[in-house]
Amino acid sequence: QKEVEQDPGPLSVPEGAIVSLNCTYSNSAFQYFMWYRQYSRKGPELLMYTYSSGNKEDGRFTAQVDKSSKYISLFIRDSQPSDSATYLCAMSDGYNKLIFGAGTRLAVHP
Amino acid sequence: DVKVTQSSRYLVKRTGEKVFLECVQDMDHENMFWYRQDPGLGLRLIYFSYDVKMKEKGDIPEGYSVSREKKERFSLILESASTNQTSMYLCAGGKGLAGNYEQYFGPGTRLTVT
């Protein structure tokens, strides 16, 4: 079993939809949680960074961490075609290397 | 604006060739990383470095070596390229070794070994 599981998609939604992207993990020691966005032919860029449990909001993006369920989510409100990308979750216990999910491909069509 | 640059975007090499992938960061960060990215497997850590001339193996170091002679430069070397090393290679820099600090990624080098 992988330490971090992420559905690869692809996920196709119409413009304006609410998008929910998710990862599950098995290591209860993880306490740093990140979402990276990767456009085609580019390197990943950090989108959201959360420490421990709870929610974090940044514009149209909300990151949610549920440590009891070992489940993290990224919500995108009012999705735009420019949100079309691969979204990677990543996490760490703060002492060891980052562990990445395989990434979910998202396509937002006009 | 922080920047990580990689020497080539696309590279085609033959089996058995020695391949050098170069990465330069302008962030003055101690830590640099080399990952490879394959469909369905995500990012896997090959090597990382926490200081000049220091290096540590990641999860998949076999067939690779690295060099860090200057703080801003971290090179990945494929000693004898093989077809199973065809992949996207991503370099990153960061303040921390673990996930307690952001890692900044370069644009990637897509390597094809024929």
Side-chain angles (χ1 to χ4, degrees), chain A residues 2 32 34 36 38 41-46 49 86 88 91-103, chain B residues 9-10 35 37-38 40-45 48 58-59 88 90 97-108:
Chain A
K2 290 182 185 175
Y32 296 91
M34 279 141 265
Y36 280 83
Q38 185 176 20
R41 292 185 289 279
K42 301 267 187 180
E45 57 175 338
L46 186 68
Y49 183 106
T86 297
L88 301 152
M91 48 197 81
S92 165
D93 59 10
Y95 300 98
N96 297 296
K97 60 179 169 55
L98 267 182
I99 306 293
F100 286 85
Chain B
R9 294 301 303 275
Y10 300 94
Y35 293 90
Q37 185 176 29
D38 300 289
L41 296 177
L43 272 69
R44 292 180 292 166
L45 184 63
F48 63 98
D59 295 320
M88 168 72 96
L90 290 161
L97 287 175
N100 45 356
Y101 291 99
E102 178 177 356
Q103 290 185 18
Y104 297 87
F105 285 85

Side-chain angles (χ1 to χ4, degrees), chain A residues 29-92:
Chain A
F30 287 155
Q31 51 183 338
Y32 296 91
F33 303 93
M34 279 141 265
W35 286 96
Y36 280 83
R37 178 176 61 195
Q38 185 176 20
Y39 290 116
S40 182
R41 292 185 289 279
K42 301 267 187 180
E45 57 175 338
L46 186 68
L47 199 57
M48 299 287 282
Y49 183 106
T50 312
Y51 172 69
S52 195
S53 273
N55 292 2
K56 187 173 182 179
E57 195 172 312
D58 184 0
R60 297 183 296 110
F61 298 90
T62 299
Q64 224 172 56
V65 175
D66 182 349
K67 290 186 76 178
S68 61
S69 301
K70 297 192 187 73
Y71 189 88
I72 69 170
S73 302
L74 178 71
F75 297 97
I76 307 174
R77 287 184 300 282
D78 187 27
S79 56
Q80 302 295 309
S82 58
D83 295 327
S84 298
T86 297
Y87 290 81
L88 301 152
C89 63
M91 48 197 81
S92 165

Side-chain angles (χ1 to χ4, degrees), chain B residues 67-114:
Chain B
S67 171
R68 188 140 180 229
E69 297 295 320
K70 292 185 178 181
K71 188 176 186 180
E72 67 272 17
R73 191 177 294 269
F74 191 34
S75 302
L76 180 70
I77 303 151
L78 285 66
E79 298 291 342
S80 176
S82 64
T83 54
N84 63 12
Q85 292 179 309
T86 291
S87 187
M88 168 72 96
Y89 289 88
L90 290 161
C91 174
K95 282 168 63 177
L97 287 175
N100 45 356
Y101 291 99
E102 178 177 356
Q103 290 185 18
Y104 297 87
F105 285 85
T109 296
R110 185 163 293 283
L111 173 68
T112 302
V113 183
T114 61

